[in-house]
């Protein structure tokens, strides 16, 4: 009898073992697997310094919190090279392979990820206008599988800084990608500000980065200054934009520090290292079992002044001392 029981037990053990290995992830990975290693997909729309800072910071911060790539988590990082159809393919892969978490850097990536899954948590990073772009309906309680961090800045506050540096702005050029919803909402704020302050907004919109140089060229002939929101397409083309604005001696005010680093004159913006850390903190909560929809969207309001002094010199401008003193960071000199 004892022997029969032993045989029975070993056979059942074998069956259990076999069924466990049948459920193990395939080589492309699979979420919720029995090894306990969670699979994280990171999707980024383009390469530019700001988005890279976010990604690098969040991976480092996750490691500092004990989530180490190649040990207890696997990170699959994919860049769409500015191409919407790549974004879709990448997010479909993440969803089909049942990843445990998708981290989507910038609005276009987040929209693509949220379009592919209602189950896998989607953590967006640096989405300027999460409500206006339809990612969540409620910042405090997003509810569904999507939450994240926002890098919203204020067009009004950036324009107030612009007027402290160059008080004579009457015509302001708006350079942005009209299909980036994150930019459109900030441009609407710019227009409202301009109306209140008797300025005219002259727009030059683009649909991809190859159009940016021509758009900025046409704009510098018509305006006193240029404003670009936190626009992925313009950010990618900033080195070219800078050549044109410096030559024409037109000040350019932008939405993000990296755009100042790449030659924009100034911003009143957020710190993307802080934002990357905060995104990692939320990722850790989700990995530990919290529901994305229960985590409020994180906004930042500690804006700081960033200046490019090389640009100031190139356009023959002296930055007022009180603005210089207030700047948290200056680039180019
Ligand atoms: N806020 C942008 C978005 O919603 C993404 C972004 C973050 C960005 N930092 C940037 C864009 C710097 C341009 C420059 O998509």
């Amino acid at each position: 009898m004892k022997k029969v029981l032993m045989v029975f037990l070993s056979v059942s053990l074998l069956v259990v073992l076999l069924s466990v290995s049948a459920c193990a992830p395939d080589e492309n990975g699979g979420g919720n697997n029995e090894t306990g290693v969670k699979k994280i997909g990171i999707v980024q729309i383009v390469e530019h310094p700001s988005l890279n800072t976010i990604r690098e910071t969040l991976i480092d911060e996750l490691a500092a919190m004990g989530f180490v790539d190649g040990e207890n988590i696997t990170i699959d990082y994919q860049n769409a090279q500015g191409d919407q159809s790549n974004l879709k393919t990448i997010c479909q892969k993440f969803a089909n392979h049942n990843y445990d978490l998708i981290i989507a850097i910038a609005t276009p990536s987040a929209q693509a990820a949220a379009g592919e899954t209602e189950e896998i948590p989607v953590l967006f990073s640096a989405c300027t206008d999460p409500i206006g772009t339809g990612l969540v309906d409620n910042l405090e309680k997003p509810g569904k599988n999507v939450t994240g961090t926002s890098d919203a800045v204020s067009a009004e506050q950036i324009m107030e800084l612009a007027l402290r540096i160059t008080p004579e702005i009457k015509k302001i050029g708006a350079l942005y990608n009209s299909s980036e919803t994150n930019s459109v909402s900030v441009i609407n704020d710019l227009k409202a500000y301009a109306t209140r302050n008797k300025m005219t907004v002259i727009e030059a919109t683009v649909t991809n980065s190859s159009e940016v140089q021509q758009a900025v060229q046409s704009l510098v002939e018509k305006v006193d200054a240029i404003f670009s929101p936190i626009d992925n397409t313009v950010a990618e083309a900033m080195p070219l934009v800078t050549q044109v604005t410096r030559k024409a001696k037109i000040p350019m005010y932008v939405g993000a520090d990296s755009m100042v680093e790449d030659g924009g004159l100034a911003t009143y913006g957020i710190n993307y290292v802080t934002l990357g850390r905060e995104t990692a903190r939320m990722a850790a909560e989700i990995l530990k079992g919290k529901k994305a929809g229960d985590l409020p969207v994180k906004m930042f309001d500690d804006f700081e002044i960033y200046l490019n002094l090389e640009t100031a010199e190139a356009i023959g401008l002296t930055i007022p001392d009180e603005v210089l003193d207030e700047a948290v960071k200056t680039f180019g000199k």
Side-chain angles (χ1 to χ4, degrees):
M1 186 63 204
K2 231 178 179 180
K3 209 169 168 195
V4 172
L5 193 65
M6 282 295 283
V7 170
F8 175 75
L9 281 179
S10 11
V11 168
S12 352
L13 189 67
L14 199 68
V15 168
V16 168
L17 280 177
L18 279 176
S19 59
V20 165
S21 67
C23 294
D26 61 23
E27 57 179 1
N28 293 318
N32 306 322
N33 55 59
E34 287 73 17
T35 58
V37 175
K38 301 239 164 132
K39 192 104 180 147
I40 303 176
I42 300 185
V43 53
Q44 184 174 316
I45 171 73
V46 279
E47 288 279 341
H48 66 68
S50 200
L51 303 189
N52 294 344
T53 301
I54 296 168
R55 187 187 73 248
E56 285 154 13
T57 310
L58 88 86
I59 293 174
D60 288 352
E61 191 68 15
L62 273 173
M65 288 185 296
F67 294 97
V68 183
D69 184 22
E71 290 181 17
N72 54 353
I73 57 168
T74 327
I75 294 179
D76 181 359
Y77 161 55
Q78 300 286 335
N79 192 300
Q81 313 293 350
D83 185 331
Q84 288 290 340
S85 63
N86 287 347
L87 275 182
K88 193 167 170 67
T89 317
I90 294 167
C91 294
Q92 268 171 351
K93 178 194 158 197
F94 290 169
N96 290 342
H97 287 104
N98 234 348
Y99 280 32
D100 296 284
L101 169 63
I102 300 176
I103 301 182
I105 304 179
T107 300
S109 324
Q111 288 172 321
E116 292 306 325
T117 177
E118 287 182 0
E119 279 97 45
I120 301 174
V122 173
L123 180 64
F124 59 76
S125 184
C127 291
T128 303
D129 183 5
I131 293 207
T133 52
L135 288 167
V136 299
D137 325 310
N138 185 325
L139 295 174
E140 271 311 303
K141 193 138 191 3
K144 300 195 187 129
N145 62 325
V146 183
T147 189
T149 54
S150 167
D151 62 354
V153 289
S154 149
E156 169 161 355
Q157 283 177 304
I158 295 174
M159 285 311 295
E160 273 163 10
L161 172 67
L163 290 174
R164 286 170 71 190
I165 300 174
T166 45
E168 298 301 320
I169 306 174
K170 291 280 165 269
K171 290 185 197 151
I172 178 89
L175 177 68
Y176 65 105
N177 181 340
S178 46
S179 60
E180 281 195 39
T181 37
N182 44 295
S183 296
V184 175
S185 63
V186 181
I187 294 295
N188 288 339
D189 292 347
L190 173 74
K191 289 180 184 160
Y193 176 85
T195 311
R196 289 198 302 277
N197 291 278
K198 312 219 166 0
M199 287 180 191
T200 316
V201 176
I202 299 177
E203 295 185 59
T205 58
V206 297
T207 55
N208 63 58
S209 55
S210 68
E211 296 170 10
V212 175
Q213 192 174 9
Q214 212 194 334
V216 67
Q217 190 63 57
S218 75
L219 213 47
V220 289
E221 288 154 23
K222 302 183 218 152
V223 297
D224 307 311
I226 293 178
F227 176 97
S228 268
I230 313 179
D231 185 286
N232 293 288
T233 316
V234 176
E236 197 192 355
M238 269 316 277
L240 279 178
V241 171
T242 301
Q243 283 176 15
V244 177
T245 51
R246 283 189 183 168
K247 190 148 172 258
K249 301 202 181 324
I250 293 291
M252 177 164 181
Y253 297 97
V254 292
D257 58 351
S258 69
M259 298 170 84
V260 177
E261 186 171 4
D262 282 345
L265 178 63
T267 189
Y268 193 52
I270 73 155
N271 182 326
Y272 282 92
V273 171
T274 312
L275 180 138
R277 286 204 190 112
E278 198 56 40
T279 309
R281 203 191 52 74
M282 294 174 76
E285 299 240 358
I286 295 170
L287 290 172
K288 283 188 223 149
K290 265 249 167 84
K291 277 184 60 197
D294 290 340
L295 297 173
V297 173
K298 174 79 185 166
M299 315 285 288
F300 301 85
D301 55 9
D302 40 358
F303 303 124
E304 288 172 316
I305 297 177
Y306 296 82
L307 300 169
N308 190 313
L309 300 183
E310 203 173 305
T311 297
E313 188 175 272
I315 66 175
L317 186 83
T318 312
I319 307 263
D321 279 344
E322 80 276 7
V323 175
L324 253 185
D325 291 345
E326 218 181 296
V328 60
K329 189 153 184 185
T330 58
F331 297 100
K333 267 182 130 193

